[in-house]
Amino acid sequence: MHRAAARLPPPGPGPLRRAAAAWPRRALCGEAPALVRASGPGVARRLRGQAGVRPGFLSGPEEAALGRELEPQLRRRRYQFDHWDGAIHGFRETEIAQWSEESQEILQRVRGTAFPPGMSPLSLVHVLDLDKSGYIKPHVDSVKFCGCTIAGLSLLSSSVMRLVSEQNPEDWMDLFLPRRSLYILRGPARYEFTHEILKDEESFFDGQKIPRERRISVICRNLPVPPAPS
Ligand SMILES: O=C(O)CCC(=O)C(=O)O
Ligand SMILES: [Fe+2]
């Protein structure tokens, strides 16, 4: 979702629900420092434990197994190059509730890593297939439909995810997402910073080109906590 633009969810049921709104605070996850670069020590401190990358989270065979399961479902859809809210360019997507046993084990591992005990993960898992020319513009995931944690697996391609502070756009953090890694965004990284996936032409991490190929992400989210009754 574009910065500062409050948007409505898409008409009817659909996997994309990105709308800006209020920013409740919550916390915590691990990180690999070599895979993140921040605009300054203040941002690094603020996002420590809130934005992290686990390289090698998936093995090669696990990536292949997920791919085999996802390809037939994705192939039925067309890449879209103009989305309803313009947040994503060159993509197709789906939400999946039923997974093979092998994939369920992987998703359990994601949830066990990303979500503290007692948090309710969304049962639908979001699968986003970005064409080589596709990219994700800066947005904040809808607070209406998605809770404090976003955890995503990257298949087929490495990429760079950029976080930019909504309040001070000069504050940013880049996350290098190697192929087969898991990233986790929580608390301020999820609510107070936009996130985006850079297009191939702009895909650099710490000055180094990170070529963007076709990329499939498998994203687990949790339910928003309902407001306390007044
Ligand atoms: O592809 C990803 O890892 C992120 C996708 C995303 O930001 C979204 O669907 O809201
Ligand atoms: Fe998002």
Side-chain angles (χ1 to χ4, degrees):
M1 145 127 339
H2 296 288
R3 222 167 300 155
R7 287 169 195 274
L8 296 170
L16 287 179
R17 300 156 187 132
R18 300 174 183 83
W23 319 115
R25 281 170 181 273
R26 252 162 252 123
L28 299 176
C29 67
E31 65 187 286
L35 302 179
V36 304
R37 284 283 176 275
S39 53
V43 179
R45 248 193 324 272
R46 191 160 150 220
L47 296 184
R48 185 162 301 137
Q50 312 289 317
V53 185
R54 303 281 179 101
F57 190 86
L58 287 177
S59 67
E62 285 175 330
E63 180 194 39
L66 283 171
R68 275 195 304 276
E69 186 163 349
L70 296 174
E71 284 292 0
Q73 307 194 52
L74 291 168
R75 223 176 286 135
R76 289 202 292 267
R77 293 157 204 275
R78 281 208 191 151
Y79 283 107
Q80 298 176 51
F81 288 86
D82 281 307
H83 190 247
W84 68 275
D85 66 356
I88 311 186
H89 180 85
F91 75 105
R92 50 192 182 182
E93 67 184 342
T94 184
E95 282 184 318
I96 301 181
Q98 301 293 332
W99 293 84
S100 67
E101 214 166 293
E102 189 176 8
S103 297
Q104 275 181 47
E105 278 175 26
I106 297 169
L107 294 172
Q108 261 324 103
R109 218 166 76 227
V110 171
R111 290 177 173 134
T113 304
F115 302 116
M119 208 184 256
S120 311
L122 288 173
S123 53
L124 287 174
V125 175
H126 181 195
V127 176
L128 181 67
D129 177 353
L130 269 188
D131 180 67
K132 179 176 168 57
S133 67
Y135 56 94
I136 304 179
K137 297 179 197 171
H139 68 278
V140 174
D141 285 15
S142 166
V143 295
K144 198 166 157 194
F145 297 102
C146 162
C148 63
T149 303
I150 303 168
L153 293 167
S154 297
L155 279 55
L156 304 182
S157 177
S158 298
S159 61
V160 180
M161 176 177 272
R162 175 161 297 157
L163 310 182
V164 178
S165 164
E166 289 252 294
Q167 219 171 11
N168 303 302
E170 66 276 15
D171 290 347
W172 55 265
M173 176 177 271
D174 280 354
L175 278 62
F176 172 36
L177 308 182
R179 178 178 180 180
R180 298 197 282 272
S181 64
L182 172 73
Y183 70 82
I184 303 171
L185 303 180
R186 284 191 184 159
R190 179 262 183 272
Y191 291 113
E192 298 172 15
F193 285 67
T194 58
H195 57 272
E196 62 194 289
I197 295 284
L198 303 183
K199 60 174 82 165
D200 184 47
E201 303 91 278
E202 296 167 6
S203 188
F204 288 85
F205 178 76
D206 203 21
Q208 200 176 326
K209 175 75 185 169
I210 307 297
R212 258 289 322 286
E213 304 298 333
R214 176 186 172 210
R215 170 180 181 268
I216 297 177
S217 49
V218 177
I219 305 152
C220 295
R221 297 181 171 91
N222 63 317
L223 284 167
V225 177
S230 51

